[in-house]
Amino acid sequence: MTRGSDSMEQPYIRLNNICKNYGNSPVIKDLNLSVRKGERLVLLGPSGCGKSTTLRMIAGLETISSGNLYVDNKRMNDIAAGKRNVSMVFQDYALYPHMTVAKNISYGLRVNKINHEEIQRRLKKVISILHLDGLEQRYPRDLSGGQRQRVALARSIAKQSDIFLLDEPLSNLDAQMRIGARKELLKIHQLYHQTFIYVTHDQIEAMTLGDRIALMDKGTLQMLDTPYNTYNRPSNVFVAKFIGTPSTNILGVQFKDGFLIFKEASIPAAEGWVRLIHQAKQPDLILGIRPEHVQISRTEKENSLNGTVSRIEEYGNQLGVIFTFEGAEITAISDHRDWKEGEEIFFSIDQKKMYLFDRTTTRTIGYPDE
Amino acid sequence: MPVNKFINGRLFWHILLLLFSIMMLFPLLFAISNSFKSLSESYNNMLSLIPGNPTFSNYVTIFTTLPLFQIILNTFITATIVTLFKLATSYFAAYAFTFFKFRGEKLLYFLFVATIFVPFTVMMIPNYLIISKIGLLNNIYGVILPQLCDATGIFIITQTMKTIPKSLIEVSKLDNVGTLGILRDIVFPLTKPAIVSSGIMFFINSWNEYVWPTLILKDRINFTLPLVLQMFISSEGGTSFPLAMAISMVTMIIPLILYLFFQKYILNTFSQSGIK
């Protein structure tokens, strides 16, 4: 689970066996997570997976039902949100509608008795970092969505807290503005080196912003690793299917006498896989292969199987070719544009790029090149 | 063609509005005018809107024969205390109902709002008995006490407060702003229009309250304005119509000044409710 994390470095934020229940229904189940100082961690997952709840527990906006939250080795469970030295950017930006941009940014600082000169200095700096010059005396209602989002960021930065929590801060922006905003976030991190914890359901955002991604589902942590490993070495079937579009093809296969068997069809398993399958002592497997690693052609090759094209999806630069094979639907991505629905094709899968999971636990049995 | 259209459409509405304006304004002008007429002129020429011989004598009479300054003060103290208390209780209760999560919250809110539908007459006797037991009969504080909190204000202010995004409160909490700070700097400015309009409503209702003070107050020196007005309409001074009109003017003037002072907020309430 913690593969890829550096155990040499002392974790800054630690969630130990954290559980959260609403009434009798558990939302977070036994969550263990550690975040390094200055790291950008992304909490990713489908809606309702508990990622926002986790963030809000770290912020102190939700109570922790059981387990311990440590920041810098200090137990934080019962520390009030205002004393935790965290700042947070909300999905709806949470700008005070009755305060100007400048007041929105400085209000929290004034409440915390920071002196006037220092407030002015910070205000000036964040205004210039986030290109809000000239908007200081405007009210939030007079700003565009992108400007509001930058004001929310500016307000959080001005606080200069060590922990920076972001709850889907870009989800209200259009696709074009998101790209710019992502750059802005990275720039802010380079300037201040806060510990980022970023919640999103958008995997592109997670990939581009995260040093590591914590992928959650139904209140449990599925995988905590670098974006590269999350994509290329999924820890279980959920991760393989969640990350990447179009989704990873999943086939229930059986291992017998060196062959991977799917219904009537079979392919010889590569040597590395055979070793892992023997180690796992589990012949019932789930095979995962990304659409870009399924090669299709009109001519038969060694170890290729055949299917019938049922549907073609246009991606602009490429085509998604969906074909049926032994009753299952498999998606392949092709640079060629001349595929026709109904035609017979041959396909092969790149065993170096495929995943095998234990069918009972849905966990990976390992990767041959490890 | 445009003339025709005007006659068919706009002109019709203008005439209708004009009629309504006259219906609304006439009694007021009628009262103002008669308060400046002598008794005989009022009898002979009651409907004329411009007094033939304007006179202040009615005003002089009411201020010299009645402890009118005391009565105005009584009415003002009653309405002010009632308004401020009701606003305070309503504001804090609304905050609790909006931002606190507790068991039975919805039921409690329902029960509070349900009291709006309890008729005054049902509460009249128990309230009277309680006030008499604690010795506040014939005292304006006996008038004030049962009015100090009321669910109408809780309802109006809660409905407005519910439109404040929860994240605003959360972001303040993260900034270490205490509950009082949140109430003062965040929630108050955002609910101010609702507070001011409820306040004006409370003030005018209390200012005009008649039945309850009648039960409690016995001596003129403790009276509120509506009771004095009633004196002149009923048998006691019933023949002196211009005097009654002069008292009406006195009764009207303070809420009117208040309205002029706060009208900016009232208009704001209406214009803001439309824009999200």
Side-chain angles (χ1 to χ4, degrees):
Chain A
M1 200 73 82
T2 51
R3 202 157 39 84
S5 68
D6 188 355
S7 56
M8 300 293 283
E9 212 173 325
Q10 178 74 13
Y12 181 57
I13 302 170
R14 271 187 299 142
L15 284 78
N16 284 0
N17 308 103
I18 296 276
C19 296
K20 173 74 186 175
N21 308 315
Y22 285 125
N24 288 325
S25 55
V27 225
I28 304 288
K29 301 164 202 157
D30 196 31
L31 180 66
N32 287 289
L33 191 67
S34 50
V35 189
R36 282 165 281 177
K37 198 172 173 90
E39 178 181 29
R40 294 190 309 267
L41 181 84
V42 175
L43 294 173
L44 175 68
S47 39
C49 72
K51 54 191 190 299
S52 276
T53 309
T54 305
L55 192 79
R56 292 167 58 81
M57 284 192 288
I58 297 171
L61 297 173
E62 296 280 350
T63 54
I64 295 169
S65 301
S66 69
N68 292 310
L69 168 71
Y70 295 97
V71 174
D72 217 3
N73 288 321
K74 198 174 160 225
R75 188 171 179 275
M76 300 304 272
N77 290 42
D78 305 318
I79 309 277
K83 310 275 184 199
R84 289 195 187 189
N85 192 20
V86 297
S87 53
M88 184 158 166
V89 180
F90 288 79
Q91 187 175 1
D92 65 359
Y93 312 141
L95 299 177
Y96 303 123
H98 57 294
M99 293 186 195
T100 59
V101 168
K103 283 219 173 103
N104 256 290
I105 296 171
S106 59
Y107 173 68
L109 305 177
R110 271 189 292 126
V111 169
N112 287 291
K113 308 244 169 2
I114 290 170
N115 73 54
H116 183 74
E117 288 74 37
E118 174 65 11
I119 292 176
Q120 291 309 313
R121 200 187 58 75
R122 290 192 197 177
L123 188 62
K124 227 175 145 184
K125 188 163 180 201
V126 294
I127 292 272
S128 93
I129 292 173
L130 286 156
H131 318 294
L132 292 166
D133 314 77
L135 302 178
E136 293 92 332
Q137 297 313 317
R138 295 261 195 103
Y139 285 90
R141 60 173 175 270
D142 302 323
L143 302 177
S144 71
Q147 288 167 338
R148 285 180 202 174
Q149 195 269 339
R150 295 208 302 275
V151 175
L153 271 180
R155 182 175 62 183
S156 297
I157 298 166
K159 209 178 153 188
Q160 298 192 354
S161 49
D162 298 330
I163 300 171
F164 202 59
L165 307 174
L166 303 106
D167 190 2
E168 309 214 19
L170 309 184
S171 60
N172 287 340
L173 298 181
D174 62 51
Q176 205 54 46
M177 287 169 87
R178 263 184 231 186
I179 297 168
R182 286 206 300 257
K183 274 189 213 153
E184 216 116 74
L185 282 172
L186 289 173
K187 189 175 87 182
I188 288 164
H189 187 253
Q190 274 168 3
L191 277 172
Y192 290 94
H193 287 291
Q194 313 103 314
T195 306
F196 262 46
I197 303 181
Y198 189 103
V199 163
T200 181
H201 60 260
D202 180 328
Q203 39 174 307
I204 306 290
E205 244 169 69
M207 292 282 165
T208 49
L209 283 171
D211 291 325
R212 286 191 303 161
I213 295 173
L215 184 54
M216 295 179 68
D217 183 42
K218 298 192 183 93
T220 54
L221 183 65
Q222 303 292 321
M223 186 168 183
L224 173 64
D225 213 325
T226 60
Y228 180 86
N229 284 346
T230 312
Y231 189 90
N232 294 292
R233 296 162 165 276
S235 63
N236 60 30
V237 176
F238 172 82
V239 177
K241 284 178 82 167
F242 187 83
I243 302 282
T245 24
S247 197
T248 302
N249 298 298
I250 299 291
L251 296 170
V253 296
Q254 196 154 36
F255 179 76
K256 206 175 173 190
D257 304 330
F259 282 88
L260 290 169
I261 303 163
F262 180 74
K263 295 190 179 163
E264 302 298 312
S266 66
I267 51 166
E271 201 182 314
W273 285 117
V274 174
R275 187 169 41 82
L276 285 169
I277 295 165
H278 283 308
Q279 272 172 19
K281 297 192 179 81
Q282 170 63 285
D284 290 325
L285 301 161
I286 292 170
L287 184 152
I289 183 79
R290 293 205 179 269
E292 63 265 36
H293 301 138
V294 178
Q295 286 105 35
I296 51 175
S297 70
R298 290 214 169 85
T299 51
E300 189 166 5
K301 290 175 194 161
E302 196 190 349
N303 291 331
S304 65
L305 302 160
N306 66 322
T308 313
V309 177
S310 60
R311 206 150 40 86
I312 288 168
E313 280 178 358
E314 179 68 74
Y315 301 139
N317 54 344
Q318 288 167 318
L319 283 184
V321 181
I322 296 123
F323 58 90
T324 51
F325 159 67
E326 297 282 336
E329 268 204 340
I330 296 179
T331 305
I333 287 181
S334 170
D335 292 327
H336 299 288
R337 306 200 54 88
D338 55 351
W339 305 101
K340 286 180 200 71
E341 285 178 16
E343 76 171 311
E344 291 275 315
I345 52 147
F346 295 96
F347 74 97
S348 56
I349 55 180
D350 184 348
Q351 289 202 26
K352 284 198 193 78
K353 302 285 170 89
M354 79 176 185
Y355 322 130
L356 284 177
F357 307 100
D358 183 319
R359 206 185 294 178
T360 44
T361 63
T362 78
R363 287 238 180 97
T364 176
I365 61 163
Y367 290 89
D369 52 351
E370 259 181 357
Chain B
M1 272 315 127
V3 179
N4 242 340
K5 239 185 185 166
F6 182 72
I7 288 168
N8 291 337
R10 301 249 303 272
L11 186 66
F12 169 75
W13 289 112
H14 277 109
I15 290 172
L16 203 66
L17 287 171
L18 200 68
L19 281 174
F20 277 119
S21 309
I22 291 169
M23 278 164 69
M24 300 283 284
L25 277 175
F26 187 76
L28 186 64
L29 297 174
F30 175 83
I32 295 173
S33 138
N34 276 288
S35 75
F36 289 105
K37 287 177 190 170
S38 67
L39 187 58
S40 61
E41 194 194 341
S42 166
Y43 268 123
N44 298 328
N45 207 355
M46 193 177 267
L47 286 178
S48 82
L49 288 183
I50 296 158
N53 281 313
T55 169
F56 279 103
S57 66
N58 299 316
Y59 289 93
V60 175
T61 311
I62 57 170
F63 275 98
T64 48
T65 57
L66 287 167
L68 205 53
F69 283 111
Q70 183 59 45
I71 288 165
I72 292 170
L73 192 67
N74 290 343
T75 320
F76 189 77
I77 290 172
T78 308
T80 307
I81 294 180
V82 165
T83 304
L84 293 179
F85 251 85
K86 260 193 203 177
L87 284 180
T89 51
S90 304
Y91 183 63
F92 289 120
Y95 184 77
F97 280 126
T98 311
F99 295 109
F100 292 172
K101 283 262 157 282
F102 53 91
R103 197 178 285 270
E105 173 204 330
K106 287 226 167 71
L107 179 71
L108 197 63
Y109 184 63
F110 171 79
L111 289 176
F112 263 77
V113 173
T115 62
I116 296 174
F117 300 98
V118 177
F120 169 73
T121 38
V122 173
M123 300 303 296
M124 199 164 70
I125 309 293
N127 276 346
Y128 181 83
L129 292 175
I130 293 166
I131 294 299
S132 96
K133 282 274 182 259
I134 55 178
L136 285 177
L137 283 183
N138 199 17
N139 184 330
I140 56 162
Y141 293 99
V143 177
I144 292 170
L145 194 62
Q147 298 187 60
L148 287 184
C149 59
D150 140 330
T152 320
I154 298 178
F155 178 71
I156 294 172
I157 298 173
T158 305
Q159 291 313 106
T160 310
M161 242 183 235
K162 278 186 175 157
T163 64
I164 300 176
K166 274 213 152 77
S167 57
L168 288 190
I169 309 299
E170 290 176 344
V171 96
S172 332
K173 281 185 180 161
L174 283 167
D175 277 344
N176 202 18
V177 185
T179 305
L180 285 177
I182 292 173
L183 280 166
R184 188 190 61 217
D185 299 342
I186 313 298
V187 178
F188 181 72
L190 295 174
T191 43
K192 196 153 72 183
I195 290 169
V196 171
S197 46
S198 325
I200 288 171
M201 193 179 79
F202 294 158
F203 190 89
I204 289 171
N205 283 349
S206 177
W207 186 268
N208 293 337
E209 181 65 51
Y210 172 68
V211 180
W212 180 243
T214 313
L215 290 174
I216 300 297
L217 304 175
K218 301 282 175 284
D219 299 331
R220 277 187 189 181
I221 193 78
N222 293 326
F223 269 16
T224 57
L225 281 165
L227 300 195
V228 179
L229 188 56
Q230 172 62 18
M231 269 169 47
F232 284 85
I233 300 169
S234 63
S235 53
E236 207 176 329
T239 46
S240 190
F241 183 65
L243 290 182
M245 289 304 100
I247 293 188
S248 295
M249 290 303 106
V250 173
T251 308
M252 191 181 71
I253 200 78
I254 290 178
L256 203 66
I257 291 169
L258 225 68
Y259 171 74
L260 290 176
F261 190 71
F262 283 111
Q263 67 163 337
K264 177 180 108 183
Y265 293 103
I266 296 188
L267 292 176
N268 259 346
T269 316
F270 291 124
S271 60
Q272 278 188 3
S273 57
I275 309 159
K276 266 258 97 182

